[in-house]
Each structure stands twice: as C-alpha cells, then as structure tokens.
Amino acid sequence: MAGDAAGSSIHNTVSSSFIFTNYPLIVAVVAFVIAQSSKLFIYWYKERRWDFKELVGSGGMPSSHSATVTALAMAIGFQEGFGGSLFATALVVACIVMYDATGVRLHAGRQAEVLNQILYGLPAEHPLAESRPLRELLGHTPPQVIAGGVLGIVTAIVGHLIKMSTSRS
C-alpha cells in the first residue's frame, strides 16, 4: 500500500509537470491572452484612454472564446491528426462556442440593452429604479468571431512551427 501511494505521488508530480509542455493547452492559453490583450489596445486606440477591464471582459474585438477554441482544435489536429476523433470533438466544440457567441450571447446582450433602457426610464419611486444595470456586452458580431478564429488558427500554426523547430534541435 505504501509503495502504491509513493508511486502514485511520483506519477502525479511527473504528470503535472507535463502540463507545461502540453502544446494544445499552451497554444489555447496564448491565443486567449493575445485576444484579451488586443482588446485593451483596441479600446485605447478608439477611446484614447486605458480601461483595464477590457482584459477580463467578454465581448468585443476579437472574440477570445473563438481564438481559444480554434487554437485548441488546430493544435489537436496538428498533434493528433486531423482525421481523428479527438480533432473532430474539438472542432465540434469550437463550432458550438462560436455559434453561441454570435447567437445566444449576442442576443442576450441586445436584450440587456433594451431592459436597461426600460430601467432608466422608470420613475425614481419605482422599486426597480435603483437596480444595477445588466451587462450588455456579452456576445460577438460575426466579424469579431471570425477575427478570433483567424487569431486562433495563426497562433496554432506559429506554435506548431516553434514546436517543430525545437524538436529538431
């Protein structure tokens, strides 16, 4: 029993160190960070002021959700093969996430805009007049999703090229 526990502990330590060499995971995280960071700079370019909430907010250009799932799917394709079931699963999940971003989440944000306008129009004595406004920027327009997808693909390709060049050394 004690040997099994020690072996399990060693296995867990070794397995956890592989997370730092997990190419699909690294590429997905890098794509997410690039997408979220670019929102900060795009906001600065448009507004000429910094808003660090852009680093953690949803919505906007480019879609970090799309960049993340696209990079993940492409990296899995490069690593495991594009004909395998793992790539098919990642691709289907990516499509669902991107469809949801332009469908359900985009329309929920638009509904929040309308509800906020109703709230703003309520008389001060109304019980809901002091309600906190709903978040309006939830989803993405199709160009934002496409930009995120392209960013994810490019990130996965660059990551693959880096991985190939370091494995030859």
Side-chain angles (χ1 to χ4, degrees), residues 1-2 7 9 13 15 23 29 36 41 91 96 100 107 120 123 127 129 139 154 168:
M1 279 281 192
S9 175
T13 303
S15 295
Y23 157 67
V29 169
Q36 285 299 112
F41 292 102
L91 180 63
I96 291 169
D100 180 65
H107 292 287
Y120 297 141
V154 170
R168 289 182 192 155

Side-chain angles (χ1 to χ4, degrees), residues 73-74 76-77 80-96:
M74 287 295 293
I76 288 171
E80 306 293 330
F82 290 96
S85 59
L86 190 56
F87 171 72
T89 303
L91 180 63
V92 169
V93 169
C95 290
I96 291 169

Side-chain angles (χ1 to χ4, degrees), residues 14-26:
V14 172
S15 295
S16 66
S17 69
F18 287 121
I19 197 167
F20 299 111
T21 58
N22 185 323
Y23 157 67
L25 178 61
I26 291 168

